[in-house]
Amino acid sequence: ATKIPFRLNQNQALLTFEDEEVAQRLTKMSKHSVNLDSTTANVTVKPFELDMGFQFELHVTVSGKKINVSEIPELPIPEGWVRDRLELHFYKIEQAEGGGEIENVTYSKGSGTAVITFLKPGASYKFVGCTKFPFCAEERWFILSVSPHFDFHLRKFQPFCRVSKKTILLKGIPEVEEDEESVQDMIEIHFQKPSNGGGELEKIKYASRGAAYVCFEE
């Protein structure tokens, strides 16, 4: 599941409780008077809805038929000839004991890369563990880089929009002389007391200046 960012504006706080019943009870009470040493702040508790997130499964497998080739030099010959030479080279290359029959070669001259597709499944595994291969073209030797080709499959992709049952949004916190950490401690003390309808907190985040982005995950 993707992490969902929530914008916490100035003079607001997010409180996540261990028990969701505490959060729901405080939300129903709505108005709270919090003692901030030199002043009593009348703050408002709001439930909040997170922006849309996404859940999905990403399945990654190493292709048994394909390899990626990079650092192919730019040669003064037609692209078709380069493809033919790559095909011949990886068909009979000795370091990998021969890749075997090749089904297709996709070559990109601009990026100096190619994807070699072998006919026989499992042929690409012969290249695992060796990433550099010499390549002769136009009576010159070059070193090509070889890496596995990965197949990606996205499954069970679905969007969702959620309300956090254990977290409340506190609005209307006044600006005071105390530093941010002290104000956060006083808010935490108030909302931990059962006499105020509170309970044990898992997390608290208070923004006294500017804004902060808080990430939620399932």
Side-chain angles (χ1 to χ4, degrees):
T2 55
K3 291 186 176 181
I4 309 171
F6 177 81
R7 180 186 169 92
L8 184 66
N9 293 320
Q10 185 173 339
N11 298 323
Q12 294 182 350
L14 284 173
L15 291 81
T16 300
F17 294 90
E18 291 182 1
D19 189 345
E20 66 180 57
E21 289 183 10
V22 175
Q24 301 307 307
R25 182 168 62 244
L26 291 169
T27 302
K28 288 178 182 177
M29 293 168 66
S30 183
K31 299 291 184 180
H32 297 265
S33 295
V34 182
N35 182 18
L36 299 180
D37 272 358
S38 58
T39 184
T40 299
N42 295 315
V43 298
T44 305
V45 172
K46 294 280 187 182
F48 65 99
E49 224 174 70
L50 297 169
D51 290 335
M52 186 175 289
F54 300 94
Q55 289 178 318
F56 56 88
E57 290 181 0
L58 182 63
H59 295 257
V60 183
T61 56
V62 179
S63 174
K65 294 180 66 177
K66 296 180 181 180
I67 57 172
N68 295 327
V69 182
S70 58
E71 299 181 32
I72 301 170
E74 189 169 338
L75 301 167
I77 57 177
E79 289 186 32
W81 291 10
V82 177
R83 279 194 296 271
D84 291 343
R85 294 190 183 186
L86 287 169
E87 180 176 348
L88 181 62
H89 181 74
F90 283 95
Y91 169 66
K92 55 193 292 191
I93 192 167
E94 293 180 2
Q95 287 90 333
E97 300 177 354
E101 292 287 341
I102 290 176
E103 183 179 303
N104 184 50
V105 176
T106 303
Y107 168 61
S108 173
K109 184 177 181 179
S111 61
T113 60
V115 177
I116 312 291
T117 304
F118 295 98
L119 192 64
K120 185 179 179 182
S124 68
Y125 298 148
K126 296 179 181 179
F127 295 85
V128 175
C130 191
T131 59
K132 299 291 184 180
F133 290 90
F135 175 66
C136 184
E138 296 297 290
E139 299 182 351
R140 294 173 59 193
W141 284 96
F142 304 92
I143 299 297
L144 305 181
S145 290
V146 175
S147 60
H149 184 89
F150 295 100
D151 291 322
F152 298 91
H153 300 283
L154 202 61
R155 299 176 185 171
K156 299 182 181 179
F157 183 88
Q158 58 186 48
F160 64 87
C161 193
R162 299 269 173 89
V163 174
S164 177
K165 294 180 180 179
K166 296 170 66 177
T167 304
I168 61 172
L169 174 64
L170 211 59
K171 289 186 173 183
I173 304 169
E175 293 185 14
V176 292
E177 293 182 1
E178 287 82 357
D179 60 81
E180 185 174 274
E181 188 175 345
S182 297
V183 174
Q184 182 167 296
D185 288 343
M186 287 183 277
I187 293 170
E188 184 173 359
I189 291 169
H190 176 91
F191 284 98
Q192 276 186 329
K193 291 180 179 179
S195 58
N196 295 325
E200 287 299 318
L201 280 161
E202 280 186 3
K203 198 95 173 179
I204 179 171
K205 176 61 182 175
Y206 164 57
S208 63
R209 296 178 181 84
Y213 280 94
V214 182
C215 281
F216 285 78
E217 57 186 5
E218 190 176 19

